[in-house]
Amino acid sequence: MARPTMEDVAARAGVSRALVSLVMRGSPKVSAARRTAVLEAAAELGYSPHAMARSLASRTSHVLGVMVSDLHNPFWAEVVDGLDGHARAAGFELVINTGGRSPSREQQALRSLTSFRPAGIALLGPVVASSAITAAADVPLVLVSRSSRLSIVDTVNDDGRAGSALAVDHLVALGHREIVHIDGGSGSQAAPRRAGYQVAMARHGLTPRVARGEYTEAAGAAAVRSLRSPFTAVLAANDLNAVGVLSALAEAGLRVPEDVSVVGYDNTWLAGLRHIGLTTIDQPREEMGRLAATALISRVRGERTAAARLVVQPTLVVRATTGPPRTQ
Amino acid sequence: MARPTMEDVAARAGVSRALVSLVMRGSPKVSAARRTAVLEAAAELGYSPHAMARSLASRTSHVLGVMVSDLHNPFWAEVVDGLDGHARAAGFELVINTGGRSPSREQQALRSLTSFRPAGIALLGPVVASSAITAAADVPLVLVSRSSRLSIVDTVNDDGRAGSALAVDHLVALGHREIVHIDGGSGSQAAPRRAGYQVAMARHGLTPRVARGEYTEAAGAAAVRSLRSPFTAVLAANDLNAVGVLSALAEAGLRVPEDVSVVGYDNTWLAGLRHIGLTTIDQPREEMGRLAATALISRVRGERTAAARLVVQPTLVVRATTGPPRTQ
DNA sequence: CTGAAAGCGCTAACAG
DNA sequence: CTGTTAGCGCTTTCAG
């Protein structure tokens, strides 16, 4: 009942174990006849190679580790799609982990991932300390939605400053002046989005107002409830956060966009739902996943040693939650 | 630059490799002095044990493989939460994979998972053929949201027939008679939900009408558009599907619930959003994850050999998408 | 193409 | 408590 090993397959096919190894790795130096014999024997036995033994012996791995900070945010599912497609095409497999938006759990997840000695690791929206990242960095590492100064890691980010500016410009063009930003707190990429907002507001001669938030629905709702002085528009931390904002506004009896305009960030499928119809800043999610996979794989193959700083451009998607402010 | 091994730690601490092994596994038969010496040496070297070598040598594993059929459905994220919490508490780590709702990709994912020789595997909403499941079943297996007759696998399901009946009874009590069901096609658990709907309709003396669907938003919208004859209520395949239904109804100029009532299934956070306010059938998602972890771990420990058939009870959650039909 | 031999990093006895 | 001796399942030489 124990799983068959290469030895078993070799015995059954009447060949040497070395030959089975060659066949399993798809070597061209095997005659067609023997190859089929081996494959048949393997199929009959239900043999499948032991990935760990293989990577232990070969000191290589075809596994890419992926740490997803928050499985509940649809944004990451779409990034993983891009990663998965590209990795698979290049002959790599994904092993996914989750960090639950908590630094300590992320650190555990990272350790767990490295214990598999993957060829490379992608961290999607990590909040863990940069020192913890360095400690794990004896394999190629790529950070998505988090910047880094470390030359040993690659990064894939949208231009968060530009994205926020896009939102502010859109709102100002509609006539808004009282624009609040609910930020992502210490979440990944919250800082550039915040900075972009502040700079854009200043450029328009407006006073920035930042409310502390987080990348969750609950935080968006809470932030709105805590806001005292009046405002006519809010730039939320991300789509999830924006949905919380919408709920809190509705609760308060405020209409969107007549009383308050709302802009999200990410353009996940959530924003596109007809009943949400959220104006938002689009990040090319699948492409970001693809870029991350490409960066990782090129490092793994030793094709590049300099750090890659991949930046994608966000774009504005106007839907139903933004409009001109009410004239007083 | 190569990763330090146990040998390196032993050398640095001035002890034998066996002692380091004992310390790493937390054995009590090591003096406090030597233990700290070893741990210090390990910390200085940045040593972390090689999970694969360990499991290769010990023929055991503390890894649980998880195949998620669809990362885009928030339902699974919540099940994974339950699984993760319980597994972690029991000293197991999760390795996640995704199948993209395609049988062939699921099979690949399953193969990839088994290549790590995990202690057990959880399949969340698999659509892959049952034969492919058996082939992988030389480790304990648990299926979530999919039934099975195989005695070697455990299952965790809600009572889908009861869930559908709950929805139908609710709609009938409101006065509906033209109730359409958009089903989950060949998706996991679509059959019992469909059967429950049909039985409940018959019990009320009503004619069942099933439209072919899938567990996606797009399928829900498409199904509504394809419906010819009139109806006053729809029971969707799941929440995602229901959201598509809501969109298509809005497009067609139909109001919810005045013109048409809509019931979802799952009660993911999506249903609870104020702007959706979907009446739905709740499945205890985290608990399902917890039960799956418990089942898997008890099998892994050899505490049970009989198949577990764990069934949880769905409940009705009434929100804003259901109401009495318009009186003609 | 084969067979033998060494070794990946670790655990599991077992005799000191 | 220690050091030794065997492997786990596989890849990698290297000499046939």
Side-chain angles (χ1 to χ4, degrees):
Chain A
M1 212 59 226
R3 272 198 164 259
T5 78
M6 205 170 245
E7 200 76 61
D8 301 327
V9 176
R12 175 150 193 140
V15 301
S16 72
R17 197 174 41 147
L19 211 237
V20 177
S21 176
L22 287 177
V23 170
M24 281 333 209
R25 281 174 289 145
S27 159
K29 9 180 38 181
V30 182
S31 71
R34 298 211 180 257
R35 154 165 286 123
T36 52
V38 167
L39 291 177
E40 251 171 39
E44 285 163 16
L45 258 36
Y47 171 79
S48 83
H50 190 313
M52 301 167 131
R54 170 181 291 192
S55 93
L56 186 57
S58 65
R59 277 157 294 257
T60 65
S61 155
H62 280 192
V63 169
L64 259 26
V66 179
M67 203 282 294
V68 180
S69 59
D70 183 9
L71 226 44
H72 298 79
N73 186 344
F75 181 76
W76 300 120
E78 303 180 27
V79 173
V80 168
D81 278 346
L83 249 164
D84 198 28
H86 197 86
R88 188 187 303 277
F92 286 84
E93 286 171 350
L94 255 42
V95 159
I96 305 172
N97 226 195
T98 169
R101 296 202 337 281
S102 133
S104 69
R105 285 204 34 207
E106 267 190 18
Q107 196 155 351
Q108 281 179 41
L110 194 51
R111 234 199 315 273
S112 163
L113 235 36
T114 57
S115 81
F116 288 102
R117 301 293 190 272
I121 296 183
L123 301 176
L124 309 189
V127 296
V128 74
S130 143
S131 61
I133 293 179
T134 337
D138 38 14
V139 296
L141 230 55
V142 61
L143 309 186
V144 178
S145 272
R146 156 114 174 219
S147 44
S148 171
R149 278 175 262 90
L150 302 170
S151 65
I152 44 168
V153 311
D154 296 329
T155 58
V156 177
N157 283 294
D158 85 319
D159 183 342
R161 301 173 73 104
S164 291
L166 241 33
V168 171
D169 290 350
H170 167 61
L171 291 168
V172 170
L174 286 170
H176 292 274
R177 303 186 57 79
E178 312 287 345
I179 305 170
V180 176
H181 174 45
I182 300 173
D183 76 0
S186 54
S188 68
Q189 284 299 86
R193 291 184 198 171
R194 190 166 44 228
Y197 159 81
Q198 283 161 333
V199 169
M201 289 294 278
R203 181 159 42 75
H204 288 291
L206 302 174
T207 315
R209 258 173 80 196
V210 176
R212 176 93 180 175
E214 209 188 338
Y215 288 134
T216 63
E217 198 204 332
V224 166
R225 288 192 205 103
S226 75
L227 251 28
R228 313 302 328 149
S229 47
F231 55 93
T232 66
V234 9
L235 168 58
N238 68 356
D239 287 354
L240 228 47
N241 186 277
V243 167
V245 169
L246 292 178
S247 299
L249 290 174
E251 248 170 43
L254 292 166
R255 287 165 310 161
V256 173
E258 290 82 359
D259 299 322
V260 178
S261 284
V262 177
V263 180
Y265 208 110
D266 287 351
N267 195 26
T268 56
W269 57 261
L270 188 59
L273 293 181
R274 192 187 172 99
H275 287 244
I276 307 270
L278 184 68
T279 292
T280 190
I281 303 298
D282 178 81
Q283 294 197 63
R285 305 166 294 290
E286 291 216 18
E287 193 195 339
M288 291 170 78
R290 219 166 34 239
L291 288 173
T294 311
L296 220 40
I297 292 171
S298 71
R299 279 252 203 188
V300 167
R301 293 193 177 137
E303 298 166 359
R304 176 173 51 76
T305 59
R309 297 282 173 254
L310 305 170
V311 177
V312 295
Q313 284 309 312
T315 54
L316 173 71
V317 177
V318 178
R319 292 205 181 86
T321 56
T322 48
R326 233 183 348 192
T327 40
Q328 322 273 326
Chain B
M1 215 58 226
R3 268 195 167 263
T5 78
M6 206 169 242
E7 200 75 64
D8 301 326
V9 177
R12 174 147 194 144
V15 300
S16 72
R17 196 178 44 166
L19 211 236
V20 177
S21 174
L22 287 177
V23 170
M24 281 337 218
R25 280 175 289 147
S27 158
K29 8 180 35 179
V30 182
S31 72
R34 298 212 181 259
R35 155 164 287 124
T36 52
V38 167
L39 291 177
E40 250 170 41
E44 285 164 15
L45 258 35
Y47 170 79
S48 84
H50 191 312
M52 303 169 130
R54 170 181 290 190
S55 93
L56 186 58
S58 66
R59 278 156 294 257
T60 64
S61 155
H62 280 193
V63 169
L64 259 28
V66 179
M67 202 282 294
V68 181
S69 59
D70 183 9
L71 225 45
H72 298 78
N73 187 344
F75 181 76
W76 300 119
E78 303 180 25
V79 172
V80 168
D81 278 346
L83 248 164
D84 198 27
H86 198 86
R88 188 187 303 277
F92 287 84
E93 286 171 350
L94 256 44
V95 159
I96 304 172
N97 226 194
T98 171
R101 298 201 336 281
S102 134
S104 68
R105 283 205 33 205
E106 268 190 17
Q107 195 154 352
Q108 281 179 39
L110 194 49
R111 234 201 315 272
S112 163
L113 235 35
T114 58
S115 80
F116 288 102
R117 302 292 189 272
I121 296 183
L123 300 178
L124 310 188
V127 296
V128 74
S130 146
S131 62
I133 293 178
T134 338
D138 40 13
V139 296
L141 229 56
V142 61
L143 309 187
V144 178
S145 272
R146 155 114 174 216
S147 44
S148 171
R149 277 175 263 89
L150 303 170
S151 65
I152 44 167
V153 311
D154 297 329
T155 58
V156 177
N157 284 295
D158 86 319
D159 183 343
R161 302 173 73 104
S164 290
L166 241 34
V168 170
D169 291 351
H170 168 60
L171 291 168
V172 170
L174 287 170
H176 291 274
R177 303 186 57 79
E178 312 288 346
I179 305 169
V180 176
H181 175 44
I182 299 173
D183 76 0
S186 55
S188 68
Q189 282 300 87
R193 291 185 197 170
R194 189 166 44 229
Y197 159 81
Q198 282 160 336
V199 168
M201 288 295 278
R203 180 160 43 75
H204 289 292
L206 301 174
T207 315
R209 257 172 79 196
V210 177
R212 177 92 180 173
E214 208 187 339
Y215 288 135
T216 63
E217 200 205 328
V224 166
R225 288 192 205 102
S226 75
L227 250 29
R228 311 300 329 147
S229 46
F231 54 93
T232 67
V234 10
L235 169 56
N238 68 356
D239 287 353
L240 229 45
N241 186 278
V243 167
V245 169
L246 292 178
S247 299
L249 290 174
E251 247 170 44
L254 292 166
R255 286 165 311 161
V256 174
E258 291 81 358
D259 299 321
V260 178
S261 283
V262 177
V263 181
Y265 209 111
D266 288 350
N267 195 26
T268 55
W269 56 261
L270 187 60
L273 294 182
R274 191 186 173 100
H275 287 245
I276 308 270
L278 184 67
T279 293
T280 190
I281 304 298
D282 179 80
Q283 294 196 63
R285 305 165 294 289
E286 290 216 18
E287 193 194 340
M288 291 171 78
R290 219 165 35 239
L291 288 173
T294 311
L296 220 41
I297 292 171
S298 72
R299 280 252 202 187
V300 167
R301 294 194 176 136
E303 298 165 359
R304 176 175 49 77
T305 59
R309 297 281 173 254
L310 304 170
V311 177
V312 295
Q313 285 309 313
T315 55
L316 174 71
V317 178
V318 178
R319 292 205 181 88
T321 57
T322 48
R326 234 186 344 196
T327 41
Q328 323 273 326

